[in-house]
Amino acid sequence: DQQVKQNSPSLSVQEGRISILNCDYTNSMFDYFLWYKKYPAEGPTFLISISSIKDKNEDGRFTVFLNKSAKHLSLHIVPSQPGDSAVYFCAASARYSGAGSYQLTFGKGTKLSVIP
Amino acid sequence: ETGVTQSPTHLIKTRGQQVTLRCSSQSGHNTVSWYQQALGQGPQFIFQYYREEENGRGNFPPRFSGLQFPNYSSELNVNALELDDSALYLCASSSRQVGEKLFFGSGTQLSVL
């Protein structure tokens, strides 16, 4: 039973255009969401996060949107650059309802390819 | 400031054997988590250690065990290896200041034959 779903295994975007990566979740206890980026042969690196009390968080070219009623979040990258080509993981935690550990539930990832 | 380091980077074992993976956390971090990433899947939470005690465990059998040492480094031990244990094992460190913004190592690729 996948609690965090990334239904698009891959996405190709032209350099300079917008990349939109989507994520859905089923567990209502999730209250904190993160995006991680992973290059081959490296561990995931934190990109951006959002608390359930917000609906938008922006950091430079990266913006995360949260729609709690739809249990859906998305990551927008504008403008996309070739160096953004990587696997992007959506992750969620039950920060205020869990046992106190920073346990993350990850999606399967979306491989983004930015074409020059 | 040193990042999270894991050893070894690659390992080949046969079914039934035991394996120990090691992790040094980022300086200043006192919490270590272990994740298993099977091919084509996202990382799956195994367990977490805080102040040398297990502080949260995912849906993994008891043959997966761990330790955290006073310097906050950690080990993951897997007994009676099965073919399905073949995966990338990721260690992540954190602290109260960074919370869920985990800092991951590059992982240990374990192959069970």
Side-chain angles (χ1 to χ4, degrees), chain B residues 81-97:
Chain B
L81 283 168
E82 300 177 0
L83 298 179
D84 284 349
D85 296 333
S86 295
L88 179 67
Y89 288 85
L90 293 162
C91 170
S93 73
S94 60
S95 65
R96 285 199 190 281
Q97 287 72 30

Side-chain angles (χ1 to χ4, degrees), chain B residues 8-105:
Chain B
T9 54
H10 295 83
L11 201 52
I12 300 175
K13 291 284 189 178
T14 56
R15 193 170 47 183
Q17 285 188 311
Q18 177 266 343
V19 69
T20 298
L21 310 182
R22 295 179 174 81
C23 172
S24 294
S25 59
Q26 181 152 323
S27 58
H29 289 181
N30 57 13
T31 302
V32 174
S33 303
W34 286 91
Y35 286 79
Q36 180 197 66
Q37 186 180 6
L39 193 62
Q41 304 294 316
Q44 188 174 358
F45 177 73
I46 303 175
F47 44 54
Q48 181 183 88
Y49 279 82
Y50 172 67
R51 291 186 176 179
E52 302 176 53
E53 300 225 346
E54 189 178 288
N55 179 38
R57 188 179 183 93
N59 189 25
F60 280 82
R63 59 188 185 84
F64 284 78
S65 63
L67 284 173
Q68 186 183 32
F69 300 100
N71 66 354
Y72 305 128
S73 66
S74 177
E75 286 182 356
L76 164 66
N77 298 290
V78 187
N79 292 322
L81 283 168
E82 300 177 0
L83 298 179
D84 284 349
D85 296 333
S86 295
L88 179 67
Y89 288 85
L90 293 162
C91 170
S93 73
S94 60
S95 65
R96 285 199 190 281
Q97 287 72 30
V98 300
E100 292 90 338
K101 299 170 188 173
L102 307 181
F103 289 71
F104 283 89

